[in-house]
């Protein structure tokens, strides 16, 4: 069966790349949080100043339980300095390594909070794990909008297409904005490889298929990472690569690596990995679209730590 979403995404990118001078290339500004090794992005249309924020970070100190807004305020300052209008607060998935600042940014800047429609599967699994109770809706309605595979929308004059890329989690999506692709945790820089696939709902075989789907897009396409971790031999953090560079050099998924080879490698590698440091607080917040759990009768919010359950 023809992958119509992939075909349409490739056509969108190819048309933009062929347009020559005056083409409507998205402007991308990166923000790096060294505590969680996370890249957040502001993507905007220069002509209209309409913009989206992708994968924002709420600062969280696990020792004290305190939240703060240093990372988010840097984004706010940039938006205000550039005179941008935020239309969307986009999440590539329910992150397990940092808390989302989307509600705080929405309060300050506006915009709709959005994620892929398969977030409901994540909400069911983790809503049960954390015994979230009836107050926690498991229907995705904490988010303002849920995207399906192949959905399209606009950021000013910029064309955006959504691609469902499960494997790391069942809800992972990539945002194709012009010639720029924001791939979440599906892949990392070529010298670091691929995301783990051992979280609930993760699947190494699905991850391989999702990566090959992304890598079938035009080779000049820009890929933007959600994280970078310094592998041996590299001393500077990086956030951008291309389809061509990934196909040639990704240590886990370059051209020529078979599905079975990848699944065997990923499965064995995942067995050796510890859980992310912030997975338990992160998931409780991110499954709620970045909203903190409701206050209890003493006026305090709490995050739960399930014992011997993960």
């Amino acid at each position: 069966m023809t992958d119509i979403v992939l075909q349409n995404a490739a056509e969108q990118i190819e048309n933009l790349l062929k347009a020559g001078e005056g083409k409507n290339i998205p402007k991308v500004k990166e923000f790096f949080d060294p505590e969680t090794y996370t890249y957040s992005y502001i993507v905007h249309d220069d002509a209209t100043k309409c913009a989206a924020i992708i994968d924002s970070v709420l600062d969280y100190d696990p020792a004290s339980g305190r939240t703060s807004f240093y990372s988010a305020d840097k984004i706010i300052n940039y938006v205000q300095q550039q005179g941008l209008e935020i239309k969307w607060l986009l999440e590539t998935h329910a992150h397990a390594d940092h808390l989302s600042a989307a509600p705080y940014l929405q309060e300050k800047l506006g915009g709709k909070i959005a994620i892929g429609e398969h977030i409901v599967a994540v909400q069911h699994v983790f809503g049960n794990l954390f015994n979230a109770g009836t107050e926690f809706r498991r229907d995705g309605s904490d988010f303002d909008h849920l995207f399906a595979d192949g959905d399209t929308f606009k950021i000013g004059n910029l064309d955006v297409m959504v691609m469902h890329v499960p494997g790391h989690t069942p809800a992972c999506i990539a945002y194709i904005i012009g010639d720029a692709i924001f791939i979440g945790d599906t892949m990392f820089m070529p010298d670091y490889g691929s995301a783990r696939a051992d979280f609930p709902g993760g699947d190494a075989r699905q991850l391989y298929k999702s990566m090959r789907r992304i890598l079938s897009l035009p080779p000049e396409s820009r890929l933007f990472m959600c994280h970078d971790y310094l592998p041996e031999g590299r001393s500077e953090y990086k956030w951008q690569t291309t389809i061509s560079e990934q196909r040639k050099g990704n240590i886990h998924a370059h051209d020529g690596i078979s599905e079975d080879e990848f699944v065997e490698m990923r499965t064995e590698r995942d067995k050796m990995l510890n859980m992310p440091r912030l997975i338990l607080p992160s998931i409780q917040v991110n499954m709620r679209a970045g909203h903190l759990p409701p206050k209890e009768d003493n006026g305090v919010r709490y995050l739960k730590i399930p014992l011997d359950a993960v």
Side-chain angles (χ1 to χ4, degrees):
M1 181 182 295
T2 302
D3 188 334
I4 298 298
V5 175
L6 181 60
Q7 182 178 317
N8 291 343
E11 184 177 332
Q12 171 184 305
I13 295 170
E14 287 169 348
N15 288 341
L16 183 60
L17 293 172
K18 289 176 182 177
E21 291 190 20
K23 58 190 177 184
N24 194 21
I25 295 292
K27 306 296 182 183
V28 180
K29 173 62 178 174
E30 81 288 347
F31 297 83
F32 184 60
D33 173 40
E35 292 298 317
T36 62
Y37 306 99
T38 301
Y39 279 102
S40 303
Y41 297 97
I42 297 175
V43 186
H44 82 267
D45 169 32
D46 219 17
T48 65
K49 298 299 182 181
C50 293
I53 298 169
I54 302 176
D55 290 336
S56 61
V57 173
L58 175 70
D59 301 298
Y60 173 74
D61 176 23
S64 67
R66 294 191 186 99
T67 59
S68 57
F69 306 105
Y70 173 75
S71 296
D73 284 341
K74 288 196 297 183
I75 289 176
I76 291 171
N77 289 339
Y78 181 85
V79 167
Q80 293 173 341
Q81 289 169 4
Q82 298 295 316
L84 303 180
E85 181 182 359
I86 299 301
K87 296 294 188 180
W88 293 96
L89 300 150
L90 304 174
E91 302 287 350
T92 54
H93 62 294
H95 307 275
D97 39 38
H98 71 271
L99 284 65
S100 171
Y104 174 75
L105 291 168
Q106 184 180 55
E107 179 186 346
K108 301 294 183 181
L109 300 171
K112 294 181 179 180
I113 302 174
I115 200 167
E117 64 180 352
H118 294 279
I119 187 61
V120 296
V122 176
Q123 290 179 324
H124 276 283
V125 170
F126 287 102
N128 292 337
L129 174 65
F130 293 114
N131 197 27
T134 57
E135 59 80 20
F136 176 54
R137 297 164 294 181
R138 294 163 170 81
D139 59 0
S141 59
D142 284 309
F143 296 84
D144 298 316
H145 190 85
L146 302 181
F147 289 116
D149 188 42
D151 278 354
T152 60
F153 61 103
K154 290 272 194 177
I155 303 172
N157 295 324
L158 298 175
D159 292 314
V160 187
M161 181 171 289
V162 175
M163 182 178 284
H164 184 216
V165 287
H168 174 58
T169 80
C172 289
I173 56 175
Y175 295 100
I176 304 168
I177 306 176
D179 69 325
I181 309 171
F182 299 84
I183 58 173
D185 289 6
T186 304
M187 284 184 287
F188 301 125
M189 292 300 294
D191 57 0
Y192 203 83
S194 62
R196 66 194 298 164
D198 61 334
F199 293 155
D203 184 278
R205 205 165 290 278
Q206 274 194 330
L207 180 60
Y208 179 86
K209 290 179 169 66
S210 292
M211 288 192 297
R212 296 317 304 178
R213 198 179 188 209
I214 292 170
L215 294 176
S216 297
L217 291 168
E220 305 95 331
S221 307
R222 296 182 288 166
L223 291 178
F224 291 87
M225 307 297 105
C226 187
H227 299 283
D228 188 39
Y229 309 95
L230 293 179
E232 187 175 349
R234 178 152 59 86
S235 59
E236 295 182 355
Y237 292 103
K238 297 182 178 181
W239 62 91
Q240 182 178 341
T241 181
T242 66
I243 296 287
S244 177
E245 289 169 351
Q246 290 281 15
R247 292 185 64 168
K248 291 176 182 176
N250 188 289
I251 59 172
H252 295 164
H254 61 76
D255 287 355
I257 297 291
S258 72
E259 182 175 325
D260 287 340
E261 288 173 326
F262 175 82
V263 170
E264 181 180 3
M265 177 281 302
R266 190 69 263 171
T267 302
E268 292 304 311
R269 184 177 176 85
D270 288 348
K271 290 177 182 177
M272 307 299 292
L273 299 177
N274 294 322
M275 285 290 103
R277 182 174 65 100
L278 296 182
I279 183 171
L280 295 177
S282 294
I283 292 293
Q284 287 178 80
V285 171
N286 296 337
M287 70 182 187
R288 293 179 165 90
H291 298 286
L292 300 177
K295 293 179 180 178
E296 299 196 5
D297 55 13
N298 62 353
V300 178
R301 303 179 192 273
Y302 291 89
L303 294 171
K304 296 179 179 179
I305 304 296
L307 299 179
D308 303 318
V310 178

